[in-house]
Amino acid sequence: MEVKKQVLGETKSDYVKVTNLIGPPAYVKREYYENRGFHIQKVKEQQEICRNCSGETCRQPIPGMMPLLTSHRGYLYFPLTPCPRKKLRERKLRIQERRQEANLPKLFQGKTFADYQVTDGNRLAVRMAQRLVRQKDPGKGLYLYGSRGTGKTLLAAIVGNLLVQQGQRVLFTNTPQLRCRFRENLKHPDTPDRSLENADCLIIDDLGSERFNAWGLEQLARVIDVRYRQQKMTLVTSNDSLKALGEKMAQVRGNGDKQDAETAARIVSRLAGMTVPLPFYGLDRRWALEPGGICCSRQGGEEPMELFEKG
Ligand SMILES: [Zn+2]
């Protein structure tokens, strides 16, 4: 704007600031501003409708569209733009929808880093998880492993929750649910559900705790392979290190052969390439929370987590 004015040899006083009730102001050349008072008044009256709009049913002549005062080369225009309240409401609805699709366990829904206790055994993992949520470009996912009940699932679910709030597609799943999805896709080969491949963030909880059959293992390898190639974020929690996971997964249910070891190795090598392995140490916190149990805060040196979201 400044540059343009200088080129044209105009000063600020040649322009009039025209404000919108909703939205940024427009700058109109004084000569074009005159005699437009009636139009400006009309536009503002229409904007007033949207100011009191719930977004649910916009009362504009064309619902959901509101005129906005703008300028181009000093001329005044008032094009129709989407009702801002409606846009807000649509965003809210989209997040609600994403939350339902995400399939996050009820126990962990709405949890944030403020609900998470940082210990010496998980400090690095928490830091990496925070980075994952803050980054625009996620890069690598996480492979969270360690003994049962050390907070791996909660941490993964927190990442899922916060990504959903950003409007991203998250899918939380575990081995039985994966098997179920694979079977469903087999039943409906014409309309396969591709959410495992397409989710912005896929969380596989407790991988290795239950076995796949040879066919299921193949399906998992395919999903992981697609996500690896498309550089999609994947979070895995497991009781086993990647190496142990590979050995465990090679032991398929039913009749297996040499091929299964190769498939398992392929999954593990992909996971190693697309996630950062992060070990968890410490006591089982579910047990530690029982009355009479050993309190983690004394044993493990826990400290309350600083609120992350703003920083
Ligand atoms: Zn409206």
Side-chain angles (χ1 to χ4, degrees):
M1 197 77 180
E2 280 302 319
V3 178
K4 248 188 217 166
K5 276 181 218 165
Q6 273 167 13
V7 170
L8 296 167
E10 289 162 344
T11 62
K12 214 174 173 184
S13 62
D14 293 334
Y15 284 82
V16 180
K17 182 179 178 181
V18 182
T19 53
N20 283 292
L21 291 183
I22 309 172
Y27 294 90
V28 183
K29 262 192 198 166
R30 195 167 290 279
E31 51 186 300
Y32 303 132
Y33 175 71
E34 265 130 47
N35 306 323
R36 301 312 293 272
F38 173 76
H39 292 109
I40 292 171
Q41 187 56 35
K42 273 273 165 237
V43 166
K44 286 199 179 174
E45 273 168 27
Q46 257 183 286
Q47 290 188 350
E48 186 63 42
I49 297 174
C50 270
R51 208 148 64 147
N52 304 315
C53 187
S54 68
E56 206 165 350
T57 46
C58 188
R59 288 182 295 112
Q60 295 287 357
I62 300 174
M65 297 304 272
M66 179 197 83
L68 187 77
L69 297 163
T70 54
S71 62
H72 180 64
R73 296 188 173 173
Y75 286 98
L76 180 67
Y77 295 93
F78 28 92
L80 287 177
T81 52
C83 163
R85 307 277 167 177
K86 193 173 176 208
K87 252 170 44 184
L88 258 175
R89 188 185 143 80
E90 277 169 1
R91 187 185 143 76
K92 220 185 246 174
L93 286 176
R94 194 172 62 235
I95 288 176
Q96 239 170 47
E97 202 178 294
R98 295 271 189 272
R99 195 166 291 147
Q100 272 167 10
E101 286 171 1
N103 188 38
L104 284 153
K106 267 226 166 66
L107 185 64
F108 303 132
Q109 272 176 22
K111 293 269 191 281
T112 67
F113 284 111
D115 302 305
Y116 200 81
Q117 295 254 291
V118 182
T119 66
D120 289 334
N122 63 25
R123 197 176 304 275
L124 181 64
V126 172
R127 205 169 295 160
M128 295 300 286
Q130 288 176 336
R131 193 180 293 175
L132 209 62
V133 174
R134 243 174 306 182
Q135 273 172 353
K136 283 267 182 288
D137 177 28
K140 282 192 174 188
L142 307 175
Y143 183 80
L144 311 173
Y145 68 101
S147 48
R148 204 164 281 284
T150 42
K152 304 180 298 286
T153 303
L154 175 58
L155 188 64
I158 286 172
V159 172
N161 269 326
L162 295 174
L163 291 178
V164 165
Q165 277 174 30
Q166 292 174 12
Q168 299 207 42
R169 252 177 245 275
V170 175
L171 183 58
F172 185 101
T173 176
N174 55 26
T175 304
Q177 286 170 1
L178 281 170
R179 283 201 300 246
C180 184
R181 279 175 186 272
F182 295 153
R183 272 201 304 269
E184 279 301 310
N185 275 354
L186 192 65
K187 272 189 235 165
H188 308 105
D190 298 331
T191 51
D193 177 10
R194 292 271 172 251
S195 38
L196 286 171
E197 290 90 337
N198 294 340
D200 297 316
C201 171
L202 176 69
I203 302 172
I204 304 177
D205 188 39
D206 219 0
L207 189 61
S209 65
E210 289 183 53
R211 290 185 295 165
F212 288 94
N213 61 17
W215 176 78
L217 198 66
E218 269 301 328
Q219 298 304 306
L220 179 66
R222 187 184 50 75
V223 167
I224 297 287
D225 197 52
V226 170
R227 296 190 66 82
Y228 174 78
R229 279 186 280 113
Q230 292 182 354
Q231 294 191 302
K232 297 245 184 195
M233 190 202 295
T234 305
L235 266 63
V236 177
T237 77
S238 179
N239 294 337
D240 306 296
S241 68
L242 269 171
K243 188 168 175 278
L245 178 76
E247 285 159 14
K248 225 178 206 181
M249 290 218 292
Q251 310 292 317
V252 294
R253 295 199 305 185
N255 295 328
D257 54 30
K258 217 179 104 212
Q259 193 74 35
D260 304 322
E262 276 170 35
T263 310
R266 204 167 83 222
I267 292 171
V268 166
S269 101
R270 287 287 189 245
L271 284 179
M274 64 205 277
T275 60
V276 180
L278 291 160
F280 274 60
Y281 308 102
L283 292 166
D284 186 331
R285 62 173 69 200
R286 275 172 293 203
W287 171 74
L289 291 174
E290 293 284 326
I294 300 165
C295 177
C296 278
S297 60
R298 306 226 173 88
Q299 293 280 315
E302 278 187 65
E303 59 191 39
M305 171 85 201
E306 290 146 40
L307 239 169
F308 137 78
E309 278 144 298
K310 288 179 189 87

